[in-house]
Amino acid sequence: MSLYHKKRDVWTIITTVIFLFYLILLVLPLFTLLKESFVGGEGGRFSLNYFIEFFSKKYYYGSLINSLKVTVSVTLLSAILATPLAYIMTTFKIEGKIYLQILILISSMAPPFIGAYSWILLLGRNGVVTNFMNNVFHIQTPDIYGFTGILLVLTLQLTPLIYMYLMGALKSIDSSLLEAAESMGVTGIRKMWKVIIPLIMPTLLAGALLVFMRALADFGTPMLIGEGYQTVPVMIFNEFISEMGGDDGFAAAISVIVIIFALAVFLLQKYISNKKSFSMNALHPISEKQEKGLKNILAHIYVYGFIALAILPQLYVTYTAFLKTSGRIFVKGFSLDSFKLAFDRGGDAIYNTFMIGLSALVIVVTLAILIAYVTVRRKSTLTNGLDIITMIPYIVPGSVLGIALLLSFNSKPLLLSGTAFILVISFVIRRLPYTIRSSAAIMHQISPSIEEASISLGASNLKTFFKITLPMMLPGVISGAILSWVTIISELSTSIILYTAKTKTMTIAIYTEVIRGNYGTAAALATILSIVTIISLLIFFKLTGKKEITL
């Protein structure tokens, strides 16, 4: 066998092993889920009874309609808010821009259910703002529960995701296009609507898809603040973990319906994006300008106003973490008692978060590097299949993946349920796409001629990869790894299905303390999680030399 074939076979083996990893730990569970939805029930025969039951009762299909209302509303509102925010932050000189960008990132990194819990403390029936408005001005504030609360929490949480996408796209627009438009009398809002939005539309659609999927999959927010406004993730959880005798087959059938629905949206977005896609290369990128007068004032009000609303939940949670408590009630004065209780009750959860999270991150980084390399440099039918299969987690909600893993690995020979390993698997599968995306993006920027030069000088293929290619990939890998890490430690929807008392993570601990009414302990744990997130972002900025994150 020639040296070329030996080199090729090394990467073929690596690709095959990774492909098998996905087949066993993602495709098999999803196939088991599909089988359970059609074969569950009496006799184990093929049946459509679960699907018929779902669509024949409003209680069930109404939850799907509710989820559709939430996801569409959140996606549209996030896009409407994020577009001018990104435009202003790109083209205007805004005071304290660096710190504002960090605050925008922090506001998007916390679990959404923490925002829900915070808004309950602020605008709930016994909330601080509610009581203040009622006692001082005798004004009854609008009800924060139900659809309104879910929309508020998820919009503030997810708008920064589209913002990060758009910041990258706006930097790719050549300023000469805008100057040409202005010379033809197209200025202000007309310039944005006629020129900028069409140019950033593919990126806007990509960001909107991510927001749609995140809103569709969110479990904690509707569970805490929904109050009867039931969405599909909550219904799946209640059906699967019901103390009144839930039905695994029915939960599987609902999960299959959600996957089909998400897949249809995903394919629609891809179709529209492909029709509108084009490449941009800015020789003269848009530069920020110092605006004057009313335009400058309005721009600052918009940016500062949004960031104040977005960061308010975390600030208030941090504030309550330092308040004195008497039992479950906050009292006057400040204290560190909540943090002491947090470490006493949630010490294991903090340890598990780091151990399980870091274990998952090591696997994520390793796999992302290899997958990015083979899908960009070693194109074949196998690598194309791998590229497609790695996208599946984008359209599978966390609770659905959790159920699929439990159904598949709840008996020998692969008895993984109840172990930390099944959580590691779920985190890897769910968060690997973030690092693959950023690693593949930088891989495209590395010229193959550099690797060819190394090989021509006698270096082996693997030596070239480790000595030349990998060091050049590191900035993209680090960027994706930080985003993966932050989303791993804030994961709830999958963890709530898979955890046990021994594998409880911080998000589970926060959620259970909120449910029990131990708001001080929950606030302390949430504050610790926020501090870890901030430190992670600061490490990212230090290692990459960047002042912002773009997707």
Side-chain angles (χ1 to χ4, degrees):
M1 184 181 289
S2 68
L3 182 61
Y4 171 77
H5 282 92
K6 286 181 181 178
K7 291 172 184 174
R8 185 187 65 183
D9 285 346
V10 169
W11 288 106
T12 302
I13 291 168
I14 290 171
T15 306
T16 304
V17 169
I18 296 172
F19 197 83
L20 288 173
F21 167 85
Y22 269 99
L23 284 179
I24 294 169
L25 299 178
L26 177 61
V27 177
L28 175 62
L30 292 177
F31 177 77
T32 304
L33 188 78
L34 183 65
K35 177 187 171 187
E36 190 75 15
S37 68
F38 285 106
V39 184
E42 296 179 6
R45 294 187 297 274
F46 178 84
S47 171
L48 294 173
N49 288 343
Y50 289 134
F51 296 94
I52 293 169
E53 183 180 357
F54 180 86
F55 287 107
S56 63
K57 294 183 180 178
K58 189 175 181 180
Y59 173 77
Y60 296 124
Y61 70 75
S63 297
L64 183 61
I65 294 172
N66 286 347
S67 285
L68 179 61
K69 287 179 182 176
V70 167
T71 50
V72 170
S73 300
V74 168
T75 304
L76 289 175
L77 199 52
S78 296
I80 291 168
L81 290 172
T83 304
L85 183 67
Y87 178 72
I88 292 169
M89 292 290 278
T90 305
T91 60
F92 285 63
K93 279 194 175 180
I94 302 294
E95 294 297 325
K97 181 180 288 188
I98 292 174
Y99 304 106
L100 294 175
Q101 287 170 336
I102 293 172
L103 289 176
I104 291 173
L105 289 173
I106 292 170
S107 71
S108 70
M109 297 301 180
F113 76 90
I114 292 180
Y117 150 61
S118 177
W119 284 109
I120 289 172
L121 293 180
L122 289 166
L123 291 172
R125 295 186 184 92
N126 196 36
V128 175
V129 176
T130 304
N131 289 337
F132 175 79
M133 295 298 289
N134 193 25
N135 295 334
V136 177
F137 299 106
H138 305 292
I139 296 173
Q140 190 68 38
T141 56
D143 191 359
I144 193 65
Y145 301 96
F147 174 79
T148 305
I150 298 171
L151 180 63
L152 172 69
V153 171
L154 290 181
T155 299
L156 291 175
Q157 176 80 26
L158 300 177
T159 295
L161 292 178
I162 299 182
Y163 163 83
M164 285 188 278
Y165 269 86
L166 294 182
M167 286 292 285
L170 287 166
K171 291 179 187 303
S172 300
I173 296 176
D174 198 302
S175 58
S176 61
L177 292 173
L178 304 186
E179 291 167 4
E182 289 169 359
S183 69
M184 298 174 70
V186 180
T187 58
I189 294 176
R190 279 189 68 213
K191 180 177 69 174
M192 189 170 184
W193 185 253
K194 293 286 186 181
V195 180
I196 294 173
I197 289 181
L199 289 173
I200 63 173
M201 184 56 71
T203 306
L204 183 59
L205 289 172
L209 175 69
L210 182 58
V211 167
F212 188 95
M213 295 303 176
R214 289 277 290 269
L216 178 66
D218 188 66
F219 160 80
T221 303
M223 192 72 173
L224 286 179
I225 210 169
E227 277 209 356
Y229 193 87
Q230 181 171 256
T231 58
V232 170
V234 174
M235 182 172 60
I236 291 173
F237 174 80
N238 289 335
E239 193 62 40
F240 192 72
I241 313 289
S242 175
E243 296 179 0
M244 302 299 290
D247 191 327
D248 292 356
F250 189 51
I254 301 169
S255 300
V256 169
I257 292 168
V258 173
I259 291 174
I260 293 171
F261 176 68
L263 179 61
V265 173
F266 177 77
L267 293 175
L268 178 64
Q269 186 270 345
K270 285 295 178 187
Y271 173 75
I272 297 172
S273 291
N274 288 338
K275 288 193 72 174
K276 294 182 176 292
S277 66
F278 52 86
S279 60
M280 289 190 294
N281 188 15
L283 295 175
H284 305 286
I286 296 175
S287 57
E288 60 183 34
K289 296 179 181 178
Q290 180 66 60
E291 298 287 351
K292 295 180 180 179
L294 183 62
K295 186 188 288 188
N296 185 51
I297 294 170
L298 291 175
H300 277 79
I301 289 173
Y302 186 84
V303 171
Y304 278 83
F306 174 80
I307 293 173
L309 276 175
I311 204 70
L312 180 61
Q314 289 190 56
L315 292 179
Y316 190 71
V317 165
T318 303
Y319 167 74
T320 57
F322 291 94
L323 292 178
K324 280 186 179 180
T325 56
S326 177
R328 297 181 178 181
I329 302 169
F330 292 116
V331 295
K332 287 185 178 181
F334 295 93
S335 168
L336 293 175
D337 290 345
S338 292
F339 286 93
K340 292 176 184 176
L341 280 172
F343 280 104
D344 288 341
R345 294 178 183 173
D348 290 341
I350 296 170
Y351 174 80
N352 288 338
T353 298
F354 279 94
M355 291 308 297
I356 295 173
L358 288 172
S359 300
L361 187 65
V362 169
I363 299 172
V364 163
V365 169
T366 304
L367 289 178
I369 290 168
L370 297 174
I371 292 170
Y373 183 79
V374 298
T375 53
V376 174
R377 287 285 191 267
R378 303 269 165 173
K379 288 192 178 294
S380 66
T381 303
L382 188 62
T383 57
N384 288 338
L386 183 60
D387 195 26
I388 292 169
I389 208 171
T390 57
M391 291 295 291
I392 293 176
Y394 269 123
I395 60 172
V396 179
S399 54
V400 171
L401 179 63
I403 291 171
L405 290 171
L406 271 187
L407 291 175
S408 301
F409 305 123
N410 202 26
S411 58
K412 294 181 178 180
L414 282 173
L415 179 58
L416 302 178
S417 61
T419 66
F421 188 60
I422 199 169
L423 279 169
V424 171
I425 290 170
S426 69
F427 291 159
V428 169
I429 291 171
R430 289 264 290 155
R431 303 310 175 190
L432 188 53
Y434 288 101
T435 312
I436 291 175
R437 179 185 175 88
S438 60
S439 301
I442 203 164
M443 193 68 227
H444 280 291
Q445 297 172 14
I446 300 172
S447 174
S449 61
I450 298 174
E451 297 164 68
E452 290 166 2
S454 173
I455 293 170
S456 69
L457 291 169
S460 68
N461 209 324
L462 281 178
K463 187 175 182 180
T464 297
F465 172 76
F466 284 110
K467 293 288 186 180
I468 305 295
T469 312
L470 182 57
M472 295 178 73
M473 290 176 67
L474 282 180
V477 173
I478 292 170
S479 178
I482 293 293
L483 286 174
S484 293
W485 164 251
V486 171
T487 53
I488 283 170
I489 62 175
S490 62
E491 173 66 45
L492 176 68
S493 57
T494 310
S495 307
I496 199 77
I497 300 287
L498 298 174
Y499 88 98
T500 63
K502 292 182 178 179
T503 58
K504 181 186 289 187
T505 59
M506 282 176 70
T507 49
I508 299 294
I510 296 167
Y511 177 78
T512 51
E513 293 297 338
V514 170
I515 294 296
R516 291 170 183 165
N518 298 322
Y519 294 138
T521 308
L525 285 167
T527 301
I528 295 168
L529 188 60
S530 294
I531 291 170
V532 173
T533 301
I534 293 168
I535 291 171
S536 301
L537 290 174
L538 291 175
I539 291 171
F540 166 81
F541 294 137
K542 181 69 175 176
L543 292 177
T544 62
K546 294 182 179 180
K547 299 296 182 184
E548 62 186 19
I549 293 179
T550 55
L551 297 174

